[in-house]
Amino acid sequence: MDASKKDRYFAQPFERVTPFSFNAEVAEVFDDMVTRSVPLYRENQQLTVDLLSRLLKKNDVVYDLGCSTGTVLYLLGQALKTLDLQLIGLDASAPMVEKARMKLKAFGLKNAEIEKADITQVPFLPCGAVVMNYTLQFLPVEARLPLLKKIYESLRPGGVLLLAEKIQTDAPGLQDLVTDIYYDFKGHNGYSELEISQKREALENVLIPLTPTQQTELLREAGFGPVEMLLRWGPFATFLAVK
Ligand SMILES: C[S@@+](CC[C@H](N)C(=O)[O-])C[C@H]1O[C@@H](n2cnc3c(N)ncnc32)[C@H](O)[C@@H]1O
């Protein structure tokens, strides 16, 4: 289902590393980039499908906010055909939207639509679930609570938000160790030291992680009841928040 080219985006030395953006070149290699950069990426997607297969109702609307190339929507559409879901992917990047539409068309998924939209600016339909994987981390910190509140308001009672994020450690003094094992993970997946260091520089002040405690507090402040961290590998975690 992933047809992207191999990610060599940061392989050559840049004269000046500019802030990371989801441009056409990144969209071209995104599936490979994210799979080699996010630990347990596939497992997280399967977790999403398995959880939502238990929690969704027939005809529910499901959003994927920051859907990138649309893989989660494709997996949900394939696995949960009998629920007749309305799948909606939103992404602010035109090249990502184009990739997602191509992917869903190629696989003949009819109950999914992809819109180019800034998720902080558009209203949401009443829905049964929202998936937001590795996207909230790119929003200014002050924009996160209003968005989480809007998601909460749009969910039906019992509806869920599945939120995957890069995180910082809660424990003082352990951040460097966790960062180091994460860079080992990227090295094991074929990224060179140059690629790792240029990407780290490009993401500075663009991707701002919270601690699990801060993230959980934000979800509670937005109105969510039970919040559980379902998955964690070093600096990445997935939270389930229930309305
Ligand atoms: C790391 S990618 C998300 C990956 C995807 N959810 C997945 O699991 O493969 C972040 C995505 O969020 C999108 N994005 C960032 N800010 C956004 C915003 N304000 N509104 C909509 N999309 C946004 C980017 O264009 C990008 O495609």
Side-chain angles (χ1 to χ4, degrees), residues 63-204:
Y63 279 99
D64 185 359
L65 304 181
C67 64
S68 291
T69 64
T71 307
V72 161
L73 294 171
Y74 160 72
L75 293 171
L76 286 171
Q78 282 294 107
L80 308 181
K81 274 188 187 133
T82 54
L83 288 179
D84 291 325
L85 302 171
Q86 185 183 349
L87 302 167
I88 304 175
L90 303 181
D91 203 288
S93 155
M96 289 293 190
V97 167
E98 194 185 328
K99 288 272 167 208
R101 285 180 178 155
M102 274 165 52
K103 185 181 285 179
L104 299 186
K105 192 170 171 205
F107 287 102
L109 203 69
K110 296 207 167 49
N111 57 335
E113 59 192 274
I114 309 288
E115 301 298 337
K116 183 180 174 309
D118 180 340
I119 54 177
T120 65
Q121 300 300 317
V122 294
F124 301 148
L125 297 171
C127 54
V130 172
V131 179
M132 184 160 53
N133 287 341
Y134 320 108
T135 295
L136 192 66
Q137 60 195 25
F138 287 106
L139 299 188
V141 174
E142 64 278 8
R144 298 181 193 185
L145 182 58
L147 174 60
L148 292 174
K149 282 184 174 166
K150 183 168 65 168
I151 292 170
Y152 179 82
E153 292 306 324
S154 309
L155 287 167
R156 60 166 165 74
V160 295
L161 166 65
L162 273 167
L163 174 69
E165 283 282 276
K166 192 160 189 211
I167 50 166
Q168 293 189 56
T169 57
D170 264 316
L174 288 184
Q175 184 60 54
D176 287 352
L177 180 65
V178 170
T179 301
D180 285 348
I181 59 148
Y182 173 54
Y183 292 154
D184 286 348
F185 167 88
K186 293 187 80 168
H188 299 325
N189 282 340
Y191 284 116
S192 67
E193 279 184 27
L194 178 70
E195 286 174 295
I196 294 170
S197 74
Q198 291 197 127
K199 186 157 184 205
R200 178 182 47 72
E201 204 179 326
L203 285 172
E204 252 164 48

Side-chain angles (χ1 to χ4, degrees), residues 6-23 25-26 29-30 32-33 36-37 138 186 190-204 206:
K6 190 167 171 67
D7 171 28
R8 306 292 294 157
Y9 188 79
F10 289 102
Q12 299 306 319
F14 285 22
E15 225 167 80
R16 193 172 62 85
V17 177
T18 52
F20 188 78
S21 76
F22 294 94
N23 58 29
E25 279 171 282
V26 168
V29 298
F30 183 77
D32 181 66
M33 174 187 274
R36 290 199 289 136
S37 302
F138 287 106
K186 293 187 80 168
Y191 284 116
S192 67
E193 279 184 27
L194 178 70
E195 286 174 295
I196 294 170
S197 74
Q198 291 197 127
K199 186 157 184 205
R200 178 182 47 72
E201 204 179 326
L203 285 172
E204 252 164 48
V206 174

Side-chain angles (χ1 to χ4, degrees), residues 224-238:
F224 286 97
V227 175
E228 182 70 23
M229 189 196 286
L230 292 180
L231 181 143
R232 167 136 189 208
W233 190 108
F236 290 87
T238 301

